[in-house]
Amino acid sequence: MSSSPSSLRPRKVSDSGVASYDYSKVDTATAKGVRHDPELRNMEMSYTSNIGAAVKAVNEFDQDVKTALLNASGADGTAPFGFNASGR
């Protein structure tokens, strides 16, 4: 089995969304090999970028849902009687 990060993929993500290789999940020899793998930094940056993009997409969707709910409820002042006020 290769010791490259792309084949093993033990990773961890910090509270701020930064991905890094989790050396605690592999043996000492594998950890040593991975530390010297030239693709390690690219892998970590790629995962971090993907996490950032996913968080951004969820936040944008969440904001759209919030706006739609405010509009439908009339809480934003655009619909004085709220969503489906007449019960039709």
Side-chain angles (χ1 to χ4, degrees):
M1 179 177 261
S2 169
S3 65
S4 77
S6 60
S7 65
L8 294 177
R9 300 183 187 211
R11 56 192 168 271
K12 59 184 174 182
V13 179
S14 71
D15 292 340
S16 60
V18 177
S20 61
Y21 198 87
D22 189 352
Y23 297 101
S24 70
K25 298 196 185 243
V26 296
D27 61 61
T28 304
T30 301
K32 183 177 180 182
V34 170
R35 280 189 179 93
H36 294 93
D37 191 314
E39 288 300 311
L40 176 62
R41 185 70 186 133
N42 289 337
M43 181 202 72
E44 291 172 334
M45 289 173 31
S46 175
Y47 278 112
T48 298
S49 177
N50 290 341
I51 291 165
V55 169
K56 180 180 178 194
V58 168
N59 284 339
E60 289 173 355
F61 181 76
D62 188 51
Q63 189 60 44
D64 289 345
V65 169
K66 181 179 177 182
T67 300
L69 290 171
L70 285 173
N71 290 342
S73 72
D76 64 349
T78 60
F81 302 107
F83 175 75
N84 200 19
S86 63
R88 294 182 198 166

